[in-house]
Amino acid sequence: MKMSPASLPDNRIADWQDARYVNLNVTSWMIRSMLIIWLTAAGTVLSGSGPAHAIDRVVLQQPAGGGQIAITGTILDYTGESITIRPRQGGTIARHVSSDVIEVTTEYLPEHQLAIDLMSRGDWKAAWAQLTATVEKEDRLWVRRIILSQLVRCAAALDEPLAAGRYFAALVQSDPQTIHAHVAPLDWTDQIPDEPLLLQAQQWLKSSHRLTRLLGASHLLRDHNLGPQAVAELQIILRSDEIAARTLAQGQLWKHRLNALELTSTEVARWEETIRSWPDRLQPGAWTVIARGHEHFGQWPQAAAAWIRLPVAFPDVDALAAYAGLRGAIAFQEAGQLAAARTMGEEISQRFASTRHGKDAANWLKTLK
């Protein structure tokens, strides 16, 4: 497993139709698996043991532009604040700030690797079940957090926002400044929450953890009674010193401003300039706001370019990439680029066939003239 920021040059957006993609990525087992993960994460002594004879490798950025250094050994924990590793050749256990981590390589249990393979094939239901079975065998706390982040992705891909949110809240409970903040299942699509999700979002909004409150605020933004409280919470988070939380909060406030129709095309262009300076992993959701802003002003080619960034540059935001890809195909249609519209629609219907938006893309293609 390798974790490193994904990036894509802008010229890939223009050439998206030629790209080849690898998509890496409530049922009866959901509550059981959540309890197992949350309770074990809360009470485990960090032994750091994993697959037999597994060796971890951490690549770190040296201070003051001093290049990179690689350490091999056993990772004892990895949180949003720090990574702790016992060197392979003995010596003192080392602790480094997470912001210095460039890449982490480890070995997964065979069951976990199978789940990852199922995710890469878009078999989200099977992957969900496999991850649930795997968590009972994985005794490394930091890897269990990876499993939680993958369960968030599975639930989101299967259009289960309540389950996805509960998994994410458990992840934040284990690590309040989680390195997996980018998988937060925020509402970027303006889907009206059903009653259980609405009630749960109100509880999330009362959490002691910033990222969980962000999650609650996201799903309450359009609520007639609680919307103002959600906006106020996002504005508080925007002033925090936590990069992931304040960046995601900024995108959600943009969405609120867009929904209120309180903007100009110049402001949308300024947002687009701002988002390019953000960490790659935190960009996807906000690009949907940029795309909708271009649509609002009838700028269909610009909207299409913004929408298709998600399936092209951020394939691991599976459900959101499927949604954005379909919206991108429709934007191409509005721009009069029917060949591009059809190609994008076919891409989404095939890559994300098991998701709701993938199925919607297949149905939409039947209507395309």
Side-chain angles (χ1 to χ4, degrees):
M1 181 277 291
K2 293 185 178 180
M3 294 188 294
S4 58
S7 61
L8 191 80
D10 282 351
N11 61 0
R12 278 290 308 280
I13 302 303
D15 297 334
W16 62 270
Q17 61 266 47
D18 296 325
R20 295 179 180 273
Y21 308 102
V22 179
N23 181 23
L24 292 179
N25 268 233
V26 178
T27 65
S28 60
W29 61 79
M30 184 197 78
I31 295 177
R32 176 171 173 266
S33 65
M34 283 179 57
L35 288 174
I36 291 170
I37 296 169
W38 191 85
L39 291 173
T40 54
T44 297
V45 175
L46 299 179
S47 66
S49 60
H53 310 298
I55 298 296
D56 303 322
R57 183 174 184 270
V58 179
V59 179
L60 299 166
Q61 177 65 54
Q62 294 287 78
Q68 300 177 4
I69 183 173
I71 302 175
T72 57
T74 300
I75 295 174
L76 301 181
D77 200 14
Y78 185 15
T79 70
E81 292 184 328
S82 64
I83 189 167
T84 306
I85 185 169
R86 179 190 295 119
R88 183 180 184 183
Q89 302 301 329
T92 305
I93 292 175
R95 183 173 180 268
H96 305 272
V97 295
S98 293
S99 58
D100 288 342
V101 176
I102 297 174
E103 183 178 280
V104 171
T105 306
T106 192
E107 183 179 348
Y108 288 134
L109 293 169
E111 297 89 343
H112 193 178
Q113 187 58 55
L114 174 58
I116 294 171
D117 294 341
L118 289 167
M119 292 172 68
S120 72
R121 297 198 295 269
D123 193 346
W124 300 106
K125 187 174 182 179
W128 192 343
Q130 186 63 35
L131 288 169
T132 302
T134 299
V135 73
E136 301 183 56
K137 300 180 180 180
E138 177 57 71
D139 61 358
R140 294 170 293 175
L141 177 55
W142 70 279
V143 178
R144 283 203 297 274
R145 296 192 190 109
I146 293 175
I147 294 174
L148 266 175
S149 74
Q150 292 166 335
L151 283 166
V152 172
R153 288 177 57 190
C154 287
L158 290 170
D159 198 26
E160 294 283 1
L162 179 58
R166 285 174 171 168
Y167 283 133
F168 184 74
L171 176 59
V172 175
Q173 179 73 24
S174 175
D175 178 14
Q177 297 185 37
T178 176
I179 59 172
H180 306 291
H182 62 285
V183 305
L186 306 182
D187 173 28
W188 297 107
T189 66
D190 282 333
Q191 180 175 338
I192 303 299
D194 59 19
E195 189 66 19
L197 179 57
L198 184 64
L199 293 174
Q200 180 64 77
Q202 295 176 45
Q203 296 304 310
W204 289 332
L205 197 60
K206 300 175 184 177
S207 172
S208 60
H209 299 300
R210 187 179 291 121
L211 284 170
T212 305
R213 294 197 303 276
L214 170 66
L215 177 64
S218 172
H219 288 288
L220 293 172
L221 267 182
R222 300 188 71 189
D223 184 81
H224 180 70
N225 296 318
L226 297 174
Q229 183 180 346
V231 172
E233 181 60 44
L234 290 173
Q235 290 171 337
I236 292 172
I237 295 173
L238 191 63
R239 298 192 293 271
S240 74
D241 58 358
E242 189 177 336
I243 293 175
R246 72 169 184 255
T247 300
L248 294 172
Q250 178 68 84
Q252 286 289 302
L253 286 169
W254 286 350
K255 181 170 75 83
H256 173 69
R257 187 168 174 80
L258 177 64
N259 288 341
L261 303 179
E262 300 173 347
L263 77 164
T264 65
S265 59
T266 301
E267 190 169 11
V268 174
R270 188 165 63 248
W271 291 351
E272 186 163 353
E273 183 178 349
T274 299
I275 194 177
R276 296 176 190 274
S277 66
W278 291 358
D280 289 348
R281 283 189 161 193
L282 301 177
Q283 292 185 18
W287 275 111
T288 69
V289 183
I290 303 297
R292 290 174 57 213
H294 286 309
E295 285 186 350
H296 176 71
F297 293 104
Q299 299 166 338
W300 294 107
Q302 295 94 322
W307 282 122
I308 68 171
R309 275 186 175 271
L310 276 79
V312 172
F314 310 105
D316 59 348
V317 289
D318 316 278
L320 197 57
Y323 164 76
L326 175 56
R327 291 288 296 261
I330 295 171
F332 275 130
Q333 181 187 28
E334 293 290 340
Q337 301 179 34
L338 296 186
R342 180 174 296 280
T343 302
M344 195 67 205
E346 290 173 347
E347 171 79 8
I348 297 305
S349 66
Q350 293 169 14
R351 278 179 60 197
F352 303 102
S354 64
T355 70
R356 175 165 64 92
H357 300 299
K359 295 173 183 175
D360 288 345
N363 291 330
W364 174 79
L365 283 168
K366 298 175 184 177
T367 70
L368 185 63
K369 301 298 183 181

